[in-house]
Amino acid sequence: MPISRAIDTLNEKIAGAVSWALLAAVVICTGNALIRYIFNYSSNGWLEIQWYLFAAIFMLASSHTLKRDEHVRIDVIAGRFSKRTQVWIDLFGFLLFLLPICLIILYYGVPFALLSIRSAEMSSNAGGLIVWPAKLLVPLGFLLLVLQGLSEIIKRVAFLRGEIDGHEFARHAATPEEEIEAIKAANKL
Protein backbone atom coordinates (compact mmCIF):
# COMPACT_ATOMS: atom_id res chain seq x y z
CA MET A 1 0.00 0.00 0.00
CA PRO A 2 2.83 2.53 0.53
CA ILE A 3 3.72 2.31 -3.18
CA SER A 4 0.07 2.80 -4.12
CA ARG A 5 -0.25 5.81 -1.83
CA ALA A 6 2.95 7.35 -3.25
CA ILE A 7 1.65 6.97 -6.82
CA ASP A 8 -1.73 8.41 -5.79
CA THR A 9 -0.02 11.38 -4.15
CA LEU A 10 2.15 11.99 -7.22
CA ASN A 11 -0.88 12.01 -9.53
CA GLU A 12 -2.86 14.23 -7.13
CA LYS A 13 -0.04 16.80 -7.13
CA ILE A 14 0.32 16.68 -10.91
CA ALA A 15 -3.44 17.08 -11.35
CA GLY A 16 -3.39 20.08 -9.02
CA ALA A 17 -0.59 21.69 -11.01
CA VAL A 18 -2.23 20.88 -14.33
CA SER A 19 -5.47 22.50 -13.19
CA TRP A 20 -3.68 25.81 -13.59
CA ALA A 21 -3.18 24.98 -17.26
CA LEU A 22 -6.95 25.17 -17.67
CA LEU A 23 -6.98 28.69 -16.27
CA ALA A 24 -4.07 29.64 -18.53
CA ALA A 25 -5.86 28.17 -21.56
CA VAL A 26 -9.04 30.13 -20.80
CA VAL A 27 -7.11 33.39 -20.31
CA ILE A 28 -5.09 32.87 -23.51
CA CYS A 29 -8.17 31.88 -25.49
CA THR A 30 -10.11 34.91 -24.26
CA GLY A 31 -7.20 37.27 -24.83
CA ASN A 32 -6.57 35.87 -28.29
CA ALA A 33 -10.24 36.23 -29.26
CA LEU A 34 -10.42 39.80 -27.96
CA ILE A 35 -7.25 40.83 -29.78
CA ARG A 36 -8.45 39.15 -32.97
CA TYR A 37 -11.82 40.94 -32.93
CA ILE A 38 -10.66 44.33 -31.60
CA PHE A 39 -7.35 44.68 -33.47
CA ASN A 40 -7.90 42.19 -36.30
CA TYR A 41 -4.64 40.47 -35.34
CA SER A 42 -3.96 36.83 -34.60
CA SER A 43 -1.01 34.52 -34.17
CA ASN A 44 -0.62 30.81 -34.82
CA GLY A 45 1.63 30.66 -31.76
CA TRP A 46 -1.24 31.74 -29.49
CA LEU A 47 -3.55 29.17 -31.05
CA GLU A 48 -0.94 26.43 -30.67
CA ILE A 49 -0.25 27.23 -27.02
CA GLN A 50 -3.97 26.70 -26.37
CA TRP A 51 -3.73 23.27 -28.01
CA TYR A 52 -0.61 22.44 -25.99
CA LEU A 53 -2.31 23.42 -22.75
CA PHE A 54 -5.37 21.33 -23.63
CA ALA A 55 -3.06 18.39 -24.44
CA ALA A 56 -1.30 18.84 -21.08
CA ILE A 57 -4.64 18.87 -19.26
CA PHE A 58 -5.88 15.77 -21.04
CA MET A 59 -2.66 13.72 -20.95
CA LEU A 60 -1.44 14.58 -17.47
CA ALA A 61 -4.82 14.43 -15.71
CA SER A 62 -6.03 11.13 -17.16
CA SER A 63 -4.20 9.22 -14.41
CA HIS A 64 -5.98 11.33 -11.80
CA THR A 65 -9.28 10.52 -13.50
CA LEU A 66 -8.42 6.82 -13.20
CA LYS A 67 -7.56 7.27 -9.53
CA ARG A 68 -10.98 8.85 -8.93
CA ASP A 69 -12.66 6.02 -10.88
CA GLU A 70 -14.23 8.50 -13.27
CA HIS A 71 -13.28 6.96 -16.61
CA VAL A 72 -16.12 5.72 -18.79
CA ARG A 73 -17.33 2.31 -17.71
CA ILE A 74 -20.34 0.09 -18.16
CA ASP A 75 -21.89 0.40 -14.70
CA VAL A 76 -25.22 -0.87 -16.00
CA ILE A 77 -23.70 -4.34 -16.24
CA ALA A 78 -21.00 -4.28 -13.54
CA GLY A 79 -23.29 -2.55 -11.04
CA ARG A 80 -25.45 -5.67 -10.84
CA PHE A 81 -22.58 -7.71 -9.41
CA SER A 82 -21.17 -7.83 -5.90
CA LYS A 83 -18.32 -5.50 -4.96
CA ARG A 84 -15.92 -8.45 -5.07
CA THR A 85 -16.97 -9.36 -8.63
CA GLN A 86 -16.67 -5.71 -9.67
CA VAL A 87 -13.10 -5.69 -8.33
CA TRP A 88 -12.30 -8.81 -10.36
CA ILE A 89 -13.71 -7.10 -13.47
CA ASP A 90 -11.50 -4.06 -12.74
CA LEU A 91 -8.43 -6.27 -12.33
CA PHE A 92 -9.21 -8.04 -15.60
CA GLY A 93 -9.57 -4.69 -17.37
CA PHE A 94 -6.38 -3.24 -15.89
CA LEU A 95 -4.25 -6.30 -16.64
CA LEU A 96 -5.59 -7.22 -20.07
CA PHE A 97 -6.48 -3.83 -21.53
CA LEU A 98 -5.18 -0.76 -19.71
CA LEU A 99 -1.59 -1.81 -19.01
CA PRO A 100 -0.88 -3.52 -22.36
CA ILE A 101 -2.28 -0.62 -24.39
CA CYS A 102 -0.43 1.96 -22.29
CA LEU A 103 2.83 0.02 -22.59
CA ILE A 104 2.45 -0.23 -26.37
CA ILE A 105 1.83 3.51 -26.60
CA LEU A 106 4.86 4.13 -24.38
CA TYR A 107 6.96 1.84 -26.57
CA TYR A 108 6.15 3.90 -29.66
CA GLY A 109 5.66 7.25 -27.91
CA VAL A 110 9.13 7.55 -26.37
CA PRO A 111 11.01 7.37 -29.72
CA PHE A 112 8.33 9.65 -31.24
CA ALA A 113 9.03 12.31 -28.60
CA LEU A 114 12.83 11.80 -28.59
CA LEU A 115 13.02 12.27 -32.36
CA SER A 116 11.11 15.52 -32.03
CA ILE A 117 13.42 16.71 -29.22
CA ARG A 118 16.62 15.77 -31.10
CA SER A 119 15.50 17.49 -34.28
CA ALA A 120 14.19 20.57 -32.43
CA GLU A 121 10.98 20.11 -34.41
CA MET A 122 9.04 23.28 -35.11
CA SER A 123 5.46 23.74 -36.15
CA SER A 124 4.93 24.00 -39.89
CA ASN A 125 2.57 26.94 -39.30
CA ALA A 126 3.88 30.47 -39.75
CA GLY A 127 4.67 31.83 -36.30
CA GLY A 128 4.18 28.39 -34.78
CA LEU A 129 5.88 26.98 -31.70
CA ILE A 130 8.34 24.21 -31.00
CA VAL A 131 6.55 20.86 -31.15
CA TRP A 132 8.54 18.59 -28.84
CA PRO A 133 6.87 19.70 -25.58
CA ALA A 134 3.50 18.57 -26.92
CA LYS A 135 4.92 15.29 -28.21
CA LEU A 136 6.64 14.67 -24.87
CA LEU A 137 3.20 14.77 -23.22
CA VAL A 138 2.28 11.47 -24.90
CA PRO A 139 4.82 9.20 -23.17
CA LEU A 140 4.65 11.22 -19.96
CA GLY A 141 0.86 10.97 -19.79
CA PHE A 142 0.87 7.25 -20.49
CA LEU A 143 3.67 6.65 -17.98
CA LEU A 144 1.52 8.31 -15.33
CA LEU A 145 -1.44 6.20 -16.45
CA VAL A 146 0.65 3.00 -16.14
CA LEU A 147 1.74 4.03 -12.65
CA GLN A 148 -1.83 4.78 -11.62
CA GLY A 149 -2.96 1.48 -13.15
CA LEU A 150 -0.41 -0.30 -10.96
CA SER A 151 -1.68 1.62 -7.94
CA GLU A 152 -5.24 0.58 -8.72
CA ILE A 153 -4.16 -3.06 -9.11
CA ILE A 154 -2.43 -2.91 -5.71
CA LYS A 155 -5.60 -1.51 -4.12
CA ARG A 156 -7.85 -4.12 -5.75
CA VAL A 157 -5.59 -6.97 -4.66
CA ALA A 158 -5.48 -5.55 -1.12
CA PHE A 159 -9.29 -5.46 -1.14
CA LEU A 160 -9.53 -9.06 -2.31
CA ARG A 161 -7.12 -10.07 0.46
CA GLY A 162 -9.26 -8.24 3.03
CA GLU A 163 -6.60 -5.62 3.82
CA ILE A 164 -8.70 -2.58 2.84
CA ASP A 165 -12.42 -1.99 2.64
CA GLY A 166 -12.61 -0.51 -0.85
CA HIS A 167 -13.17 3.17 -0.04
CA GLU A 168 -9.68 3.93 -1.38
CA PHE A 169 -10.80 3.17 -4.93
CA ALA A 170 -14.49 4.00 -4.73
CA ARG A 171 -15.88 6.63 -7.07
CA HIS A 172 -15.61 10.09 -5.56
CA ALA A 173 -18.99 11.47 -6.56
CA ALA A 174 -19.88 14.72 -4.87
CA THR A 175 -23.16 14.94 -3.05
CA PRO A 176 -25.59 17.69 -4.10
CA GLU A 177 -24.73 19.54 -0.87
CA GLU A 178 -20.99 19.40 -1.68
CA GLU A 179 -21.65 20.69 -5.20
CA ILE A 180 -23.72 23.59 -3.83
CA GLU A 181 -20.93 24.48 -1.39
CA ALA A 182 -18.35 24.31 -4.18
CA ILE A 183 -20.46 26.66 -6.33
CA LYS A 184 -20.86 29.08 -3.41
CA ALA A 185 -17.09 29.01 -2.79
CA ALA A 186 -16.39 29.62 -6.49
CA ASN A 187 -18.79 32.56 -6.56
CA LYS A 188 -16.87 34.19 -3.68
CA LEU A 189 -13.72 34.28 -5.80
PDB file of all heavy atoms in Angstrom, residues 86-114:
ATOM      1  N   GLN A  86     -17.045  -6.960  -8.996  1.00  0.00           N
ATOM      2  CA  GLN A  86     -16.668  -5.712  -9.671  1.00  0.00           C
ATOM      3  C   GLN A  86     -15.158  -5.495  -9.607  1.00  0.00           C
ATOM      4  O   GLN A  86     -14.543  -5.051 -10.579  1.00  0.00           O
ATOM      5  CB  GLN A  86     -17.395  -4.527  -9.041  1.00  0.00           C
ATOM      6  CG  GLN A  86     -18.873  -4.498  -9.318  1.00  0.00           C
ATOM      7  CD  GLN A  86     -19.572  -3.368  -8.583  1.00  0.00           C
ATOM      8  OE1 GLN A  86     -18.955  -2.400  -8.170  1.00  0.00           O
ATOM      9  NE2 GLN A  86     -20.880  -3.504  -8.423  1.00  0.00           N
ATOM     10  N   VAL A  87     -14.557  -5.823  -8.479  1.00  0.00           N
ATOM     11  CA  VAL A  87     -13.101  -5.687  -8.330  1.00  0.00           C
ATOM     12  C   VAL A  87     -12.383  -6.652  -9.271  1.00  0.00           C
ATOM     13  O   VAL A  87     -11.379  -6.286  -9.897  1.00  0.00           O
ATOM     14  CB  VAL A  87     -12.693  -5.890  -6.857  1.00  0.00           C
ATOM     15  CG1 VAL A  87     -11.192  -6.072  -6.713  1.00  0.00           C
ATOM     16  CG2 VAL A  87     -13.174  -4.718  -6.013  1.00  0.00           C
ATOM     17  N   TRP A  88     -12.898  -7.863  -9.411  1.00  0.00           N
ATOM     18  CA  TRP A  88     -12.302  -8.814 -10.355  1.00  0.00           C
ATOM     19  C   TRP A  88     -12.423  -8.293 -11.795  1.00  0.00           C
ATOM     20  O   TRP A  88     -11.485  -8.436 -12.585  1.00  0.00           O
ATOM     21  CB  TRP A  88     -12.945 -10.199 -10.235  1.00  0.00           C
ATOM     22  CG  TRP A  88     -12.366 -11.011  -9.124  1.00  0.00           C
ATOM     23  CD1 TRP A  88     -12.960 -11.336  -7.938  1.00  0.00           C
ATOM     24  CD2 TRP A  88     -11.054 -11.595  -9.081  1.00  0.00           C
ATOM     25  NE1 TRP A  88     -12.105 -12.082  -7.160  1.00  0.00           N
ATOM     26  CE2 TRP A  88     -10.923 -12.256  -7.843  1.00  0.00           C
ATOM     27  CE3 TRP A  88      -9.978 -11.619  -9.960  1.00  0.00           C
ATOM     28  CZ2 TRP A  88      -9.778 -12.935  -7.470  1.00  0.00           C
ATOM     29  CZ3 TRP A  88      -8.819 -12.300  -9.583  1.00  0.00           C
ATOM     30  CH2 TRP A  88      -8.733 -12.947  -8.355  1.00  0.00           C
ATOM     31  N   ILE A  89     -13.532  -7.685 -12.130  1.00  0.00           N
ATOM     32  CA  ILE A  89     -13.708  -7.097 -13.467  1.00  0.00           C
ATOM     33  C   ILE A  89     -12.691  -5.980 -13.678  1.00  0.00           C
ATOM     34  O   ILE A  89     -12.066  -5.884 -14.742  1.00  0.00           O
ATOM     35  CB  ILE A  89     -15.158  -6.585 -13.652  1.00  0.00           C
ATOM     36  CG1 ILE A  89     -16.131  -7.759 -13.705  1.00  0.00           C
ATOM     37  CG2 ILE A  89     -15.277  -5.723 -14.909  1.00  0.00           C
ATOM     38  CD1 ILE A  89     -17.601  -7.358 -13.630  1.00  0.00           C
ATOM     39  N   ASP A  90     -12.506  -5.130 -12.657  1.00  0.00           N
ATOM     40  CA  ASP A  90     -11.501  -4.062 -12.743  1.00  0.00           C
ATOM     41  C   ASP A  90     -10.109  -4.638 -12.970  1.00  0.00           C
ATOM     42  O   ASP A  90      -9.361  -4.163 -13.838  1.00  0.00           O
ATOM     43  CB  ASP A  90     -11.492  -3.221 -11.464  1.00  0.00           C
ATOM     44  CG  ASP A  90     -12.667  -2.284 -11.351  1.00  0.00           C
ATOM     45  OD1 ASP A  90     -13.395  -2.100 -12.350  1.00  0.00           O
ATOM     46  OD2 ASP A  90     -12.867  -1.728 -10.254  1.00  0.00           O
ATOM     47  N   LEU A  91      -9.756  -5.654 -12.178  1.00  0.00           N
ATOM     48  CA  LEU A  91      -8.432  -6.271 -12.332  1.00  0.00           C
ATOM     49  C   LEU A  91      -8.244  -6.828 -13.743  1.00  0.00           C
ATOM     50  O   LEU A  91      -7.188  -6.641 -14.356  1.00  0.00           O
ATOM     51  CB  LEU A  91      -8.232  -7.385 -11.303  1.00  0.00           C
ATOM     52  CG  LEU A  91      -7.803  -6.947  -9.919  1.00  0.00           C
ATOM     53  CD1 LEU A  91      -7.824  -8.123  -8.951  1.00  0.00           C
ATOM     54  CD2 LEU A  91      -6.427  -6.318  -9.960  1.00  0.00           C
ATOM     55  N   PHE A  92      -9.251  -7.507 -14.237  1.00  0.00           N
ATOM     56  CA  PHE A  92      -9.214  -8.041 -15.599  1.00  0.00           C
ATOM     57  C   PHE A  92      -8.978  -6.909 -16.604  1.00  0.00           C
ATOM     58  O   PHE A  92      -8.119  -7.008 -17.479  1.00  0.00           O
ATOM     59  CB  PHE A  92     -10.538  -8.774 -15.889  1.00  0.00           C
ATOM     60  CG  PHE A  92     -10.669  -9.285 -17.281  1.00  0.00           C
ATOM     61  CD1 PHE A  92     -10.041 -10.456 -17.676  1.00  0.00           C
ATOM     62  CD2 PHE A  92     -11.437  -8.593 -18.217  1.00  0.00           C
ATOM     63  CE1 PHE A  92     -10.173 -10.926 -18.969  1.00  0.00           C
ATOM     64  CE2 PHE A  92     -11.569  -9.057 -19.516  1.00  0.00           C
ATOM     65  CZ  PHE A  92     -10.933 -10.229 -19.890  1.00  0.00           C
ATOM     66  N   GLY A  93      -9.717  -5.828 -16.463  1.00  0.00           N
ATOM     67  CA  GLY A  93      -9.567  -4.690 -17.374  1.00  0.00           C
ATOM     68  C   GLY A  93      -8.199  -4.032 -17.290  1.00  0.00           C
ATOM     69  O   GLY A  93      -7.589  -3.697 -18.306  1.00  0.00           O
ATOM     70  N   PHE A  94      -7.697  -3.856 -16.065  1.00  0.00           N
ATOM     71  CA  PHE A  94      -6.380  -3.240 -15.892  1.00  0.00           C
ATOM     72  C   PHE A  94      -5.275  -4.097 -16.498  1.00  0.00           C
ATOM     73  O   PHE A  94      -4.391  -3.597 -17.198  1.00  0.00           O
ATOM     74  CB  PHE A  94      -6.068  -3.005 -14.411  1.00  0.00           C
ATOM     75  CG  PHE A  94      -6.952  -1.995 -13.735  1.00  0.00           C
ATOM     76  CD1 PHE A  94      -7.281  -2.145 -12.396  1.00  0.00           C
ATOM     77  CD2 PHE A  94      -7.468  -0.902 -14.413  1.00  0.00           C
ATOM     78  CE1 PHE A  94      -8.089  -1.228 -11.753  1.00  0.00           C
ATOM     79  CE2 PHE A  94      -8.279   0.019 -13.781  1.00  0.00           C
ATOM     80  CZ  PHE A  94      -8.596  -0.144 -12.451  1.00  0.00           C
ATOM     81  N   LEU A  95      -5.325  -5.399 -16.217  1.00  0.00           N
ATOM     82  CA  LEU A  95      -4.247  -6.298 -16.640  1.00  0.00           C
ATOM     83  C   LEU A  95      -4.293  -6.653 -18.122  1.00  0.00           C
ATOM     84  O   LEU A  95      -3.252  -6.826 -18.752  1.00  0.00           O
ATOM     85  CB  LEU A  95      -4.261  -7.573 -15.789  1.00  0.00           C
ATOM     86  CG  LEU A  95      -3.905  -7.372 -14.320  1.00  0.00           C
ATOM     87  CD1 LEU A  95      -4.180  -8.640 -13.525  1.00  0.00           C
ATOM     88  CD2 LEU A  95      -2.442  -6.950 -14.176  1.00  0.00           C
ATOM     89  N   LEU A  96      -5.480  -6.777 -18.673  1.00  0.00           N
ATOM     90  CA  LEU A  96      -5.585  -7.217 -20.067  1.00  0.00           C
ATOM     91  C   LEU A  96      -5.814  -6.093 -21.062  1.00  0.00           C
ATOM     92  O   LEU A  96      -5.616  -6.307 -22.268  1.00  0.00           O
ATOM     93  CB  LEU A  96      -6.690  -8.267 -20.205  1.00  0.00           C
ATOM     94  CG  LEU A  96      -6.401  -9.577 -19.485  1.00  0.00           C
ATOM     95  CD1 LEU A  96      -7.561 -10.542 -19.626  1.00  0.00           C
ATOM     96  CD2 LEU A  96      -5.118 -10.218 -19.996  1.00  0.00           C
ATOM     97  N   PHE A  97      -6.223  -4.931 -20.595  1.00  0.00           N
ATOM     98  CA  PHE A  97      -6.479  -3.831 -21.525  1.00  0.00           C
ATOM     99  C   PHE A  97      -5.652  -2.593 -21.216  1.00  0.00           C
ATOM    100  O   PHE A  97      -4.843  -2.162 -22.041  1.00  0.00           O
ATOM    101  CB  PHE A  97      -7.980  -3.479 -21.552  1.00  0.00           C
ATOM    102  CG  PHE A  97      -8.837  -4.597 -22.057  1.00  0.00           C
ATOM    103  CD1 PHE A  97      -9.611  -5.338 -21.184  1.00  0.00           C
ATOM    104  CD2 PHE A  97      -8.849  -4.931 -23.402  1.00  0.00           C
ATOM    105  CE1 PHE A  97     -10.392  -6.386 -21.636  1.00  0.00           C
ATOM    106  CE2 PHE A  97      -9.626  -5.976 -23.870  1.00  0.00           C
ATOM    107  CZ  PHE A  97     -10.400  -6.705 -22.984  1.00  0.00           C
ATOM    108  N   LEU A  98      -5.839  -2.025 -20.032  1.00  0.00           N
ATOM    109  CA  LEU A  98      -5.183  -0.763 -19.705  1.00  0.00           C
ATOM    110  C   LEU A  98      -3.658  -0.847 -19.801  1.00  0.00           C
ATOM    111  O   LEU A  98      -3.039  -0.090 -20.553  1.00  0.00           O
ATOM    112  CB  LEU A  98      -5.589  -0.282 -18.308  1.00  0.00           C
ATOM    113  CG  LEU A  98      -4.897   1.020 -17.874  1.00  0.00           C
ATOM    114  CD1 LEU A  98      -5.496   2.206 -18.604  1.00  0.00           C
ATOM    115  CD2 LEU A  98      -4.974   1.203 -16.381  1.00  0.00           C
ATOM    116  N   LEU A  99      -3.056  -1.744 -19.029  1.00  0.00           N
ATOM    117  CA  LEU A  99      -1.590  -1.812 -19.007  1.00  0.00           C
ATOM    118  C   LEU A  99      -0.986  -2.187 -20.361  1.00  0.00           C
ATOM    119  O   LEU A  99      -0.043  -1.524 -20.808  1.00  0.00           O
ATOM    120  CB  LEU A  99      -1.108  -2.748 -17.898  1.00  0.00           C
ATOM    121  CG  LEU A  99      -1.317  -2.233 -16.471  1.00  0.00           C
ATOM    122  CD1 LEU A  99      -0.764  -3.214 -15.457  1.00  0.00           C
ATOM    123  CD2 LEU A  99      -0.717  -0.858 -16.276  1.00  0.00           C
ATOM    124  N   PRO A 100      -1.486  -3.210 -21.057  1.00  0.00           N
ATOM    125  CA  PRO A 100      -0.879  -3.523 -22.357  1.00  0.00           C
ATOM    126  C   PRO A 100      -0.968  -2.370 -23.363  1.00  0.00           C
ATOM    127  O   PRO A 100       0.017  -2.057 -24.036  1.00  0.00           O
ATOM    128  CB  PRO A 100      -1.660  -4.739 -22.849  1.00  0.00           C
ATOM    129  CG  PRO A 100      -2.169  -5.389 -21.606  1.00  0.00           C
ATOM    130  CD  PRO A 100      -2.461  -4.254 -20.666  1.00  0.00           C
ATOM    131  N   ILE A 101      -2.128  -1.725 -23.438  1.00  0.00           N
ATOM    132  CA  ILE A 101      -2.279  -0.618 -24.392  1.00  0.00           C
ATOM    133  C   ILE A 101      -1.357   0.540 -24.020  1.00  0.00           C
ATOM    134  O   ILE A 101      -0.687   1.121 -24.876  1.00  0.00           O
ATOM    135  CB  ILE A 101      -3.754  -0.151 -24.461  1.00  0.00           C
ATOM    136  CG1 ILE A 101      -4.633  -1.228 -25.063  1.00  0.00           C
ATOM    137  CG2 ILE A 101      -3.893   1.154 -25.226  1.00  0.00           C
ATOM    138  CD1 ILE A 101      -4.287  -1.635 -26.474  1.00  0.00           C
ATOM    139  N   CYS A 102      -1.310   0.873 -22.742  1.00  0.00           N
ATOM    140  CA  CYS A 102      -0.434   1.959 -22.294  1.00  0.00           C
ATOM    141  C   CYS A 102       1.032   1.644 -22.566  1.00  0.00           C
ATOM    142  O   CYS A 102       1.800   2.518 -22.983  1.00  0.00           O
ATOM    143  CB  CYS A 102      -0.640   2.248 -20.813  1.00  0.00           C
ATOM    144  SG  CYS A 102      -2.199   3.051 -20.439  1.00  0.00           S
ATOM    145  N   LEU A 103       1.432   0.401 -22.348  1.00  0.00           N
ATOM    146  CA  LEU A 103       2.827   0.021 -22.591  1.00  0.00           C
ATOM    147  C   LEU A 103       3.166   0.054 -24.084  1.00  0.00           C
ATOM    148  O   LEU A 103       4.269   0.451 -24.463  1.00  0.00           O
ATOM    149  CB  LEU A 103       3.121  -1.348 -21.973  1.00  0.00           C
ATOM    150  CG  LEU A 103       3.108  -1.366 -20.442  1.00  0.00           C
ATOM    151  CD1 LEU A 103       3.203  -2.795 -19.916  1.00  0.00           C
ATOM    152  CD2 LEU A 103       4.220  -0.491 -19.875  1.00  0.00           C
ATOM    153  N   ILE A 104       2.225  -0.329 -24.917  1.00  0.00           N
ATOM    154  CA  ILE A 104       2.445  -0.233 -26.370  1.00  0.00           C
ATOM    155  C   ILE A 104       2.599   1.228 -26.785  1.00  0.00           C
ATOM    156  O   ILE A 104       3.501   1.577 -27.559  1.00  0.00           O
ATOM    157  CB  ILE A 104       1.297  -0.916 -27.151  1.00  0.00           C
ATOM    158  CG1 ILE A 104       1.373  -2.427 -26.977  1.00  0.00           C
ATOM    159  CG2 ILE A 104       1.330  -0.539 -28.635  1.00  0.00           C
ATOM    160  CD1 ILE A 104       0.148  -3.188 -27.469  1.00  0.00           C
ATOM    161  N   ILE A 105       1.734   2.084 -26.265  1.00  0.00           N
ATOM    162  CA  ILE A 105       1.826   3.513 -26.598  1.00  0.00           C
ATOM    163  C   ILE A 105       3.138   4.090 -26.078  1.00  0.00           C
ATOM    164  O   ILE A 105       3.785   4.895 -26.761  1.00  0.00           O
ATOM    165  CB  ILE A 105       0.599   4.279 -26.074  1.00  0.00           C
ATOM    166  CG1 ILE A 105      -0.647   3.820 -26.850  1.00  0.00           C
ATOM    167  CG2 ILE A 105       0.790   5.785 -26.206  1.00  0.00           C
ATOM    168  CD1 ILE A 105      -1.955   4.325 -26.313  1.00  0.00           C
ATOM    169  N   LEU A 106       3.561   3.686 -24.893  1.00  0.00           N
ATOM    170  CA  LEU A 106       4.863   4.128 -24.380  1.00  0.00           C
ATOM    171  C   LEU A 106       6.002   3.659 -25.281  1.00  0.00           C
ATOM    172  O   LEU A 106       6.932   4.410 -25.569  1.00  0.00           O
ATOM    173  CB  LEU A 106       5.089   3.589 -22.966  1.00  0.00           C
ATOM    174  CG  LEU A 106       4.608   4.445 -21.824  1.00  0.00           C
ATOM    175  CD1 LEU A 106       4.740   3.703 -20.506  1.00  0.00           C
ATOM    176  CD2 LEU A 106       5.359   5.752 -21.770  1.00  0.00           C
ATOM    177  N   TYR A 107       5.926   2.413 -25.717  1.00  0.00           N
ATOM    178  CA  TYR A 107       6.963   1.836 -26.570  1.00  0.00           C
ATOM    179  C   TYR A 107       7.148   2.670 -27.847  1.00  0.00           C
ATOM    180  O   TYR A 107       8.279   2.903 -28.290  1.00  0.00           O
ATOM    181  CB  TYR A 107       6.602   0.385 -26.911  1.00  0.00           C
ATOM    182  CG  TYR A 107       7.588  -0.305 -27.807  1.00  0.00           C
ATOM    183  CD1 TYR A 107       8.778  -0.811 -27.301  1.00  0.00           C
ATOM    184  CD2 TYR A 107       7.334  -0.445 -29.167  1.00  0.00           C
ATOM    185  CE1 TYR A 107       9.694  -1.448 -28.127  1.00  0.00           C
ATOM    186  CE2 TYR A 107       8.240  -1.082 -30.004  1.00  0.00           C
ATOM    187  CZ  TYR A 107       9.416  -1.580 -29.478  1.00  0.00           C
ATOM    188  OH  TYR A 107      10.318  -2.210 -30.302  1.00  0.00           O
ATOM    189  N   TYR A 108       6.064   3.092 -28.434  1.00  0.00           N
ATOM    190  CA  TYR A 108       6.146   3.898 -29.660  1.00  0.00           C
ATOM    191  C   TYR A 108       6.224   5.394 -29.362  1.00  0.00           C
ATOM    192  O   TYR A 108       6.759   6.163 -30.163  1.00  0.00           O
ATOM    193  CB  TYR A 108       4.945   3.616 -30.575  1.00  0.00           C
ATOM    194  CG  TYR A 108       5.013   2.254 -31.208  1.00  0.00           C
ATOM    195  CD1 TYR A 108       4.215   1.214 -30.755  1.00  0.00           C
ATOM    196  CD2 TYR A 108       5.904   1.997 -32.243  1.00  0.00           C
ATOM    197  CE1 TYR A 108       4.296  -0.045 -31.322  1.00  0.00           C
ATOM    198  CE2 TYR A 108       5.991   0.739 -32.814  1.00  0.00           C
ATOM    199  CZ  TYR A 108       5.180  -0.275 -32.345  1.00  0.00           C
ATOM    200  OH  TYR A 108       5.268  -1.522 -32.906  1.00  0.00           O
ATOM    201  N   GLY A 109       5.698   5.827 -28.230  1.00  0.00           N
ATOM    202  CA  GLY A 109       5.655   7.249 -27.908  1.00  0.00           C
ATOM    203  C   GLY A 109       6.997   7.827 -27.495  1.00  0.00           C
ATOM    204  O   GLY A 109       7.288   8.989 -27.789  1.00  0.00           O
ATOM    205  N   VAL A 110       7.819   7.037 -26.815  1.00  0.00           N
ATOM    206  CA  VAL A 110       9.126   7.546 -26.373  1.00  0.00           C
ATOM    207  C   VAL A 110      10.009   7.890 -27.575  1.00  0.00           C
ATOM    208  O   VAL A 110      10.528   9.011 -27.661  1.00  0.00           O
ATOM    209  CB  VAL A 110       9.809   6.564 -25.395  1.00  0.00           C
ATOM    210  CG1 VAL A 110      11.258   6.951 -25.150  1.00  0.00           C
ATOM    211  CG2 VAL A 110       9.039   6.507 -24.080  1.00  0.00           C
ATOM    212  N   PRO A 111      10.201   6.989 -28.552  1.00  0.00           N
ATOM    213  CA  PRO A 111      11.007   7.370 -29.716  1.00  0.00           C
ATOM    214  C   PRO A 111      10.383   8.536 -30.503  1.00  0.00           C
ATOM    215  O   PRO A 111      11.103   9.389 -31.038  1.00  0.00           O
ATOM    216  CB  PRO A 111      11.044   6.108 -30.581  1.00  0.00           C
ATOM    217  CG  PRO A 111      10.657   4.992 -29.689  1.00  0.00           C
ATOM    218  CD  PRO A 111       9.813   5.587 -28.607  1.00  0.00           C
ATOM    219  N   PHE A 112       9.057   8.572 -30.576  1.00  0.00           N
ATOM    220  CA  PHE A 112       8.327   9.649 -31.242  1.00  0.00           C
ATOM    221  C   PHE A 112       8.696  10.997 -30.622  1.00  0.00           C
ATOM    222  O   PHE A 112       9.015  11.959 -31.326  1.00  0.00           O
ATOM    223  CB  PHE A 112       6.825   9.347 -31.103  1.00  0.00           C
ATOM    224  CG  PHE A 112       5.885  10.397 -31.565  1.00  0.00           C
ATOM    225  CD1 PHE A 112       5.683  10.617 -32.918  1.00  0.00           C
ATOM    226  CD2 PHE A 112       5.147  11.145 -30.653  1.00  0.00           C
ATOM    227  CE1 PHE A 112       4.777  11.576 -33.350  1.00  0.00           C
ATOM    228  CE2 PHE A 112       4.241  12.092 -31.077  1.00  0.00           C
ATOM    229  CZ  PHE A 112       4.064  12.314 -32.429  1.00  0.00           C
ATOM    230  N   ALA A 113       8.695  11.065 -29.288  1.00  0.00           N
ATOM    231  CA  ALA A 113       9.030  12.310 -28.597  1.00  0.00           C
ATOM    232  C   ALA A 113      10.528  12.609 -28.688  1.00  0.00           C
ATOM    233  O   ALA A 113      10.919  13.762 -28.907  1.00  0.00           O
ATOM    234  CB  ALA A 113       8.596  12.226 -27.135  1.00  0.00           C
ATOM    235  N   LEU A 114      11.374  11.581 -28.535  1.00  0.00           N
ATOM    236  CA  LEU A 114      12.826  11.804 -28.586  1.00  0.00           C
ATOM    237  C   LEU A 114      13.280  12.315 -29.946  1.00  0.00           C
ATOM    238  O   LEU A 114      14.155  13.180 -30.031  1.00  0.00           O
ATOM    239  CB  LEU A 114      13.577  10.524 -28.216  1.00  0.00           C
ATOM    240  CG  LEU A 114      13.493  10.109 -26.751  1.00  0.00           C
ATOM    241  CD1 LEU A 114      14.194   8.778 -26.524  1.00  0.00           C
ATOM    242  CD2 LEU A 114      14.067  11.191 -25.847  1.00  0.00           C
TER     243      LEU A 114
END
